[in-house]
Amino acid sequence: MSEHNQLLAELGLDVALHDEMLAATDRLFRQTVGAQGGRPTTMAYFDDVLHRAHGGRVAELVEDKKAGRKTVGTFCIYVPEELAMAANTNPVPLCGGIQASIPHAEKMFPRDICPLIKSTLGLAFSKTCPYGPVKNLAVGETTCDAKKKTWEILAGRVNFHVMELPQKKGRLDIDLWRSEVDAFRMKLEELSGTKVEPEALGEAIRVMNAKRRALQAMAELRKVDPPPLSGLDALVVMQAALADEPVRFTSAVEKLNAELAGRIGRGTSPAKPGAKRVMIAGCPAVMGNWKVHALVEQSGAVIVHDESCTGSRYFDNLIDETARDLAGQVAAVADRYFKINCACFTPNQERIDAVVQKAREYNVKGAVHYVLQTCHGYNIEAMRVEAALKQAGIPSLKIVTDYSEEDTGQLRTRIEAFVEQLG
Ligand code: BJ8
């Protein structure tokens, strides 16, 4: 048994099943990301982050845990990573992007819930998620109904904390959210035994703002026509953003950005001449899920922006760094996170406006609104998104799909027809 599998066995994982799932994910990676030509050489780092997510990164977290730094599992980008870092814990995302774990969730859970939730639960229930035994606390949030009800099941099994995310954006809601963020700080302090001090929180804010700036710079480079990076590679970077240690990750993005600037200077692009610029809007595509991005780019278009939680919703808006006392810093953290436009809000004009603004800024010819099956928020909101884009003269296509490969042929036909008719 390899040293790595030895570690997974010690964590109580089903190593054989874990190997099987990784092999299926690796096959998809090779068929999509790996099948692209002319990739930037610095992308090797981000490929490695994805491959290390179930390997070296787990070993790092186990070592940290032995040294007293606990791990906090999250399911959503509303959970402020800065607070976890300032309380001397490591935040790690637990969202699943693979099909192979879903049947394990369907043995217990209803089949008609979103694949992201089923994939996550399937990894946990089948003992194939290495973060399950490593984490000391899991943090859910009140975004969609499927998640809220899932937390009730998980809370009976693991140490669980739920953050209440209000679903309107008025003054009372902001106040409630600020108090929820502060309650999360106290929960972290209780878990880690480390008081969040203004110096530590200030440093965590600077680290995460630097990460956001690097990702914003990468997004800027994609505005160039033709872009120096494929949409699929940009997605790999974003998937790595959720999993990697932030300082190391930021430095890797800065190196990638330098290479992309050089490619722009030489006119090097992964896009075919005249490739139509397309944006993706909607649900996140977390690690293991490259399906729709690959189909869009295999159809000859190039994705130049993602309005999603694996896109600009993750890195837009910096945290105000000027507050010096803890209360001011916590409020600044809360305010930045409250600007994320998830479809769980009502009304949600901010998101509709953001999609149209991004479409214009990135000069796209069309938008693909990506909806994970049974995600009612994004599915219904797509009507308003489509109408607003239409008014701005930008055609859009709504894709509702899961993680399986069953509908690939049908989706390919629809996407090719959509791209073909773009001006
Ligand atoms: S902020 S998008 S990460 S909740 S896709 S589980 S909404 S049914 S992932 Fe999400 Fe936070 Fe919103 Fe982003 Fe529910 Fe929809 Fe599934 Fe979703």
Side-chain angles (χ1 to χ4, degrees), residues 68-373:
R69 190 173 167 95
K70 294 187 170 160
T71 297
V72 175
T74 63
F75 303 91
C76 177
I77 64 164
Y78 275 108
V79 179
E81 292 170 85
E82 292 80 357
L83 286 173
M85 290 154 65
N88 191 34
T89 66
N90 283 316
V92 294
L94 298 174
C95 293
I98 65 167
Q99 170 66 23
S101 64
I102 287 181
H104 299 277
E106 288 177 341
K107 284 181 195 158
M108 294 178 63
F109 261 66
R111 291 174 66 92
D112 45 0
I113 55 172
C114 109
L116 187 145
I117 294 175
K118 284 193 290 188
S119 177
T120 308
L121 293 175
L123 283 161
F125 296 162
S126 61
K127 295 194 174 164
T128 50
C129 174
Y131 300 108
V134 175
K135 71 172 185 319
N136 303 91
L137 173 73
V139 188
E141 72 312 316
T142 55
T143 45
C144 63
D145 286 350
K147 278 183 162 182
K148 277 184 281 199
K149 291 290 119 183
T150 299
W151 308 153
E152 292 170 17
I153 311 293
L154 292 182
R157 298 166 168 245
V158 297
N159 187 17
F160 209 91
H161 177 76
V162 179
M163 296 182 76
E164 179 166 358
L165 179 74
Q167 315 230 309
K168 289 170 71 180
K169 289 193 174 171
R171 189 65 251 169
L172 288 177
D173 306 295
I174 295 171
D175 289 346
L176 170 60
W177 177 240
R178 282 185 176 184
S179 63
E180 280 294 309
V181 170
D182 203 39
F184 178 48
R185 170 189 64 82
M186 289 186 269
K187 179 77 191 177
L188 289 163
E189 289 179 343
E190 180 193 309
L191 175 81
S192 65
T194 302
K195 207 170 150 25
V196 173
E197 300 290 354
E199 296 71 31
L201 185 51
E203 177 56 20
I205 290 171
R206 281 189 289 280
V207 165
M208 291 303 291
N209 272 350
K211 180 177 174 180
R212 291 186 186 105
R213 281 193 197 93
L215 289 170
Q216 288 170 3
M218 182 185 89
E220 277 297 308
L221 292 163
R222 295 171 74 197
K223 287 184 178 169
V224 175
D225 194 15
L229 186 71
S230 71
L232 204 43
D233 278 344
L235 178 64
V236 168
V237 173
M238 290 310 304
Q239 292 172 340
L242 298 177
D244 200 10
E245 191 285 320
V247 175
R248 192 170 61 201
F249 173 82
T250 302
S251 144
V253 178
E254 285 164 352
K255 284 185 193 127
L256 171 67
N257 288 345
E259 184 178 358
L260 296 181
R263 281 162 73 97
I264 290 170
R266 294 189 300 279
T268 307
S269 170
K272 296 199 186 88
K276 288 160 187 166
R277 298 170 66 85
V278 166
M279 74 182 274
I280 303 277
C283 289
V286 298
M287 202 185 294
N289 178 9
W290 304 287
K291 179 173 158 177
V292 167
H293 285 69
L295 286 171
V296 169
E297 295 202 319
Q298 285 163 7
S299 78
V302 59
I303 298 165
V304 293
H305 187 72
D306 291 82
E307 183 277 330
S308 77
C309 298
T310 39
S312 53
R313 288 204 295 268
Y314 182 75
F315 56 73
D316 271 353
N317 303 309
L318 301 178
I319 296 177
D320 180 0
E321 295 181 18
T322 56
R324 288 289 164 262
D325 64 319
L326 193 62
Q329 288 174 314
V330 171
V333 168
D335 292 354
R336 184 265 156 194
Y337 279 85
F338 207 58
K339 289 186 193 135
I340 298 169
N341 294 316
C342 181
C344 62
F345 278 91
T346 186
N348 206 13
Q349 191 58 39
E350 290 86 349
R351 173 160 182 258
I352 315 293
D353 293 344
V355 174
V356 174
Q357 187 205 330
K358 298 288 188 192
R360 288 195 173 120
E361 252 181 63
Y362 288 80
N363 193 20
V364 305
K365 294 276 184 256
V368 171
H369 199 268
Y370 175 53
V371 180
L372 288 172
Q373 243 169 36

Side-chain angles (χ1 to χ4, degrees), residues 387-409:
L389 285 169
K390 193 173 174 188
Q391 208 176 18
I394 298 156
S396 64
L397 171 73
K398 183 173 83 172
I399 297 284
V400 182
T401 186
D402 58 12
Y403 290 170
S404 77
E405 294 173 84
E406 280 164 25
D407 59 353
T408 303

